[in-house]
Amino acid sequence: RCKQVHHLSINCVQGDNMSISCLTATHPRQSLTVKLHKTNQDKDILMYPDISPASEHQRWSVRKYAGNVTLHVKDVRLSDDGLYDCQVYKDQDCLNVIRFNLKVKDTVHPTPGSSVLLPCSEHPLQNRTEQVTWKVVNGRQSTDISQYAPLNKPSSSTEKLLKPLYERVRQLANGSLLISDVVQDDELWYRCSVNEKTCYDVKLLLK
């Protein structure tokens, strides 16, 4: 068993590329073995230097240079969300474990003037009785969507003032959020919470 276990919490956006340093050591790189294990599904993602990952995990790779063992993943997917152990061994001795909780955020790309449905991923599609709340997230601050009303300044004298965001949103029975007449100012992070315990973030970007 590994004696040293370091815990990390990592947030990234769907489609991003990500790198994690699993070990900085003076050991010759050819003497090191790296194992990536997804603990919440109890399955191995890859073993390095054994180049035999399942096809679904070929986006994951390991690089070693200047004594630094780094884990890389390309094109992060929502299914990558979970708890992982990156274990580094020298022969049979475990040198280090980086245990990281990877949270993958979604993005939605509507066209201006259209309506968009933001799903609450922690919430099933059918109608449920759990309390679902939506907030607009700006940095470390979050504002209930029913109270979010930034100043709406028209870019030209002929452009009409649109309704504030809270007047154009409607929460459906399954917890999803429907936004009507989407505008540039709606390009924000939105957070849905279920019973104030679990939460899910989604970024809205216009096409």
Side-chain angles (χ1 to χ4, degrees):
R1 290 183 175 273
C2 293
K3 296 180 180 179
Q4 297 188 51
V5 180
H6 302 278
H7 297 265
L8 295 175
S9 181
I10 300 173
N11 295 315
C12 60
V13 177
Q14 182 182 14
D16 278 357
N17 298 330
M18 181 190 69
S19 297
I20 302 168
S21 178
C22 292
L23 179 70
T24 301
T26 57
H27 302 286
R29 61 182 181 180
Q30 60 268 25
S31 68
L32 299 178
T33 301
V34 181
K35 177 181 178 181
L36 179 66
H37 185 78
K38 193 169 187 179
T39 57
N40 58 316
Q41 294 182 359
D42 193 23
K43 66 179 180 179
D44 292 337
I45 304 299
L46 63 80
M47 180 78 77
Y48 184 92
D50 293 341
I51 311 299
S52 56
S55 59
E56 63 180 297
H57 301 307
Q58 288 178 354
R59 296 174 296 109
W60 298 81
S61 62
V62 172
R63 299 177 188 173
K64 301 179 187 176
Y65 49 88
N68 196 14
V69 179
T70 306
L71 175 72
H72 293 265
V73 59
K74 298 183 296 183
D75 188 22
V76 172
R77 301 171 183 173
L78 293 177
S79 58
D80 294 328
D81 198 284
L83 186 65
Y84 296 82
D85 280 351
C86 181
Q87 305 168 359
V88 183
Y89 294 85
K90 184 180 184 299
D91 301 323
Q92 298 298 317
D93 296 326
C94 183
L95 301 177
N96 192 52
V97 174
I98 298 294
R99 181 165 296 162
F100 60 95
N101 188 18
L102 178 62
K103 300 295 292 182
V104 182
K105 300 178 180 181
D106 199 359
T107 55
V108 176
H109 300 269
T111 55
S114 66
S115 296
V116 62
L117 188 66
L118 303 183
C120 185
S121 73
E122 296 289 344
H123 213 67
L125 292 177
Q126 66 269 26
N127 299 350
R128 297 295 290 268
T129 57
E130 290 96 339
Q131 181 183 6
V132 177
T133 56
W134 281 89
K135 295 184 178 181
V136 172
V137 182
N138 187 0
R140 296 190 175 185
Q141 294 184 332
S142 60
T143 306
D144 192 282
I145 202 158
S146 63
Q147 301 172 358
Y148 185 80
L151 293 175
N152 191 343
K153 299 178 180 178
S155 58
S156 67
S157 58
T158 58
E159 182 181 339
K160 65 178 180 179
L161 279 170
L162 293 171
K163 292 181 179 179
L165 179 62
Y166 69 85
E167 290 187 12
R168 293 182 286 110
V169 298
R170 181 165 62 91
Q171 186 171 309
L172 305 185
N174 64 5
S176 299
L177 186 73
L178 180 66
I179 305 177
S180 303
D181 300 321
V182 174
V183 295
Q184 199 78 30
D185 287 348
D186 297 335
E187 287 193 329
L188 301 162
W189 279 105
Y190 297 84
R191 174 173 297 161
C192 116
S193 301
V194 181
N195 287 340
E196 298 184 353
K197 295 180 180 179
T198 58
C199 66
Y200 169 69
D201 290 356
V202 57
K203 178 69 178 286
L204 191 151
L205 295 170
L206 294 186
K207 289 184 179 178

